[in-house]
Amino acid sequence: MTHLGSSSVAHFLETLVLCSEKAATIARLIRTHSLFNSLIQRKCAREANARFDIDLKTLADVLIQEGIRYDLEKAFPSLGSSVHGEENNSFQNSFGEVISLNITDPVIQLTNTLEDILTGDRALARLLSQVVLRPLDSFRTHTAVQSAISDTCTTSLNDVRLDLSLCGIWVDPIDATAEYAEGVHVRSSDSFILTDPIGQQHSLTPCILRHIPGTLANVTVLIGVFDRISGIPFLGVINQPFYRPADSECLETDTSAQSGRLFWGFRLLDSTSPTASLCQIPVSSTSVYRQVSFDCPLEEVRSDVLLRVACSYPEVHRLERIFQSWSPNSSASPTVVLLSSPGAGFKLMCLCRAEIDVYLLLSPSTYFWDTCAPQAILRSLSPEGGGLIRLSAAVAAVRQMLTDSHSESSGLISSISSRLTEFQVVYTPKQPNRDLTEYRHSDGLLAYRNGQLACRLLLFLAIALPSA
């Protein structure tokens, strides 16, 4: 591999944040263009060319992914090859022509390529080309960027150097693609909010079910950076392009710099790690080991409140059956609220913001690009850090502990806690000609903010889940 040199964490982070904001701008622009709307309308009326509709939705994904690769390569030569994602850069337009999208200067060249992909819509092709090739610094004035990056929150990272040759990057250019295509307008509410009060009738119910329908607010852009040697994610950016606060005066079709919001988190690898040389920290800055862009302290686990478990909609009823043996309102087990809403990135973002307590996924339906960025942010939330666990492996290990141990529950919790690091998801670079299933989380997932809560849930699931 070509040696890429180093960068300050502050500069690298700001570049990723600006890449995410350019991606958000492209997503908003494509989504509100009349061509996109007409295709969606014809599809609903069973009149659309399905192939062309898929191409346009894919164009947003691939144009963003290739745009991130282009900008990172421009800022850090040779880093572009370290950017990995679900998409390749080939398209088949409505004429059946296969076209490769390689982002290069000048604007006219990219415009011609996009015009071929869009089967003649030169106006949209030119507009997209101009945005894709805009300098990253031109996005600094956007509200989301100004809110997420300031001198006060990145100055401490200026002296921390990052060896870029040890960095791999997983990108999900548009998570919650179906919601992006459907375009249900944001109702100035972006999080898991219980839509009606929990009444007395639920006081002895192990589970309460809530489904929050998807909107454009579920759409996220995810950029996660991991250490190539250990596989540990250490820097993540989540951009929510269509977020609208409750007091927002933005129109539902607004594509301006006032739209959206973003979050980031950074955490150094453990100093005892064999790959701790990924970052070089001056002696005067040894206290700089983690940083987040938002103030959301880790809460203590309490037994007198609801336990909010985000899950996938197809798994709601299976989890409801599993949690029937959960004891509500006992000293250790609050009532469980199973919350579903589209988008793994959205649910993990809500977890980072403490709007839910855990994200539990039994089936292998998420991939590296869905989780790398959120996991990095979860790790940065506290000295102990949150995390993302390979569920099946962790449950199997806890079952073995139950077989081998005669300890009290508290002793088992301590034993599980000491092994949480062992079960963490780690990442590898994408290899040519490999099936995408190699980058799927085949063990299921348990994402958490609080390690003690994760240990309690693992102990419960080891008993409640049926053995393989």
Side-chain angles (χ1 to χ4, degrees), residues 261-322:
R261 66 176 177 176
L262 61 87
F263 310 96
W264 58 263
F266 164 76
R267 179 171 184 145
L268 294 177
L269 301 182
D270 190 298
S271 60
T272 61
S273 167
T275 59
S277 60
L278 176 74
C279 292
Q280 292 82 43
I281 311 172
V283 174
S284 60
S285 302
T286 53
S287 62
V288 181
Y289 68 96
R290 66 180 183 88
Q291 189 84 40
V292 292
S293 62
F294 53 99
D295 183 17
C296 198
L298 197 68
E299 298 174 347
E300 295 295 326
V301 178
R302 296 181 298 168
S303 61
D304 59 343
V305 295
L306 301 171
L307 175 61
R308 302 160 299 174
V309 179
C311 60
S312 173
Y313 182 73
E315 294 185 349
V316 165
H317 294 296
R318 181 183 176 190
L319 287 171
E320 183 184 20
R321 291 191 297 271
I322 290 169

Side-chain angles (χ1 to χ4, degrees), residues 217-248:
N218 291 68
V219 176
T220 53
V221 177
L222 310 171
I223 306 176
V225 187
F226 66 95
D227 170 32
R228 282 177 169 271
I229 298 177
S230 68
I232 298 172
F234 63 90
L235 196 160
V237 177
I238 300 176
N239 195 308
Q240 195 179 12
F242 299 96
Y243 168 74
R244 292 171 60 230
D247 58 352
S248 172

Side-chain angles (χ1 to χ4, degrees), residues 8-266:
S8 72
V9 171
H11 177 51
F12 187 56
L13 168 63
E14 288 185 5
T15 303
L16 294 180
V17 165
L18 292 169
C19 282
S20 81
E21 185 59 19
K22 179 187 279 192
T25 303
I26 294 170
R28 291 189 289 260
L29 178 61
I30 291 180
R31 183 62 193 80
T32 57
H33 195 274
S34 59
L35 177 60
F36 189 98
N37 289 332
S38 65
L39 285 169
I40 296 299
Q41 290 168 8
R42 288 203 299 270
K43 181 181 178 183
C44 294
R46 301 183 184 277
E47 297 175 357
N49 182 318
R51 176 69 254 178
F52 189 54
D53 181 45
I54 291 171
D55 278 348
L56 186 62
K57 287 185 288 187
T58 304
L59 175 61
D61 282 305
V62 179
L63 190 59
I64 288 171
Q65 183 173 299
E66 293 304 307
I68 292 171
R69 189 191 313 278
Y70 168 82
D71 281 314
L72 289 179
E73 178 73 19
K74 193 171 183 179
F76 310 103
S78 298
L79 186 60
S81 61
S82 297
V83 176
H84 313 291
E86 177 182 10
E87 310 295 342
N88 59 41
N89 67 339
S90 296
F91 294 90
Q92 182 177 348
N93 65 16
S94 61
F95 298 146
E97 300 167 330
V98 177
I99 301 166
S100 294
L101 175 61
N102 295 302
I103 296 177
T104 56
D105 292 320
V107 170
I108 185 65
Q109 184 173 335
L110 181 57
T111 298
N112 290 338
T113 301
L114 288 174
E115 184 179 7
D116 290 339
I117 291 171
L118 293 167
T119 58
D121 191 323
R122 188 164 185 82
L124 178 57
R126 182 167 55 248
L127 192 59
L128 287 172
S129 298
Q130 290 170 345
V131 174
V132 170
L133 295 177
R134 271 176 58 187
L136 284 179
D137 277 345
S138 68
F139 295 89
R140 285 186 181 275
T141 58
H142 287 209
T143 302
V145 174
Q146 291 182 329
S147 299
I149 290 186
S150 67
D151 291 339
T152 56
C153 71
T154 59
T155 297
S156 59
L157 299 178
N158 275 320
D159 294 331
V160 183
R161 304 296 299 180
L162 187 63
D163 185 347
L164 297 178
S165 68
L166 297 179
C167 295
I169 302 169
W170 276 101
V171 171
D172 192 342
I174 294 182
D175 190 56
T177 306
E179 284 61 45
Y180 178 68
E182 292 171 7
V184 176
H185 296 312
V186 180
R187 298 179 297 274
S188 69
S189 174
D190 62 297
S191 57
F192 281 121
I193 298 173
L194 298 182
T195 54
D196 57 86
I198 305 300
Q200 287 297 113
Q201 69 271 23
H202 295 305
S203 61
L204 297 178
T205 303
C207 282
I208 303 168
L209 310 184
R210 291 289 183 272
H211 176 68
I212 294 85
T215 69
L216 285 170
N218 291 68
V219 176
T220 53
V221 177
L222 310 171
I223 306 176
V225 187
F226 66 95
D227 170 32
R228 282 177 169 271
I229 298 177
S230 68
I232 298 172
F234 63 90
L235 196 160
V237 177
I238 300 176
N239 195 308
Q240 195 179 12
F242 299 96
Y243 168 74
R244 292 171 60 230
D247 58 352
S248 172
E249 296 181 358
C250 294
L251 299 175
E252 292 170 336
T253 57
D254 182 39
T255 61
S256 74
Q258 308 304 315
S259 302
R261 66 176 177 176
L262 61 87
F263 310 96
W264 58 263
F266 164 76

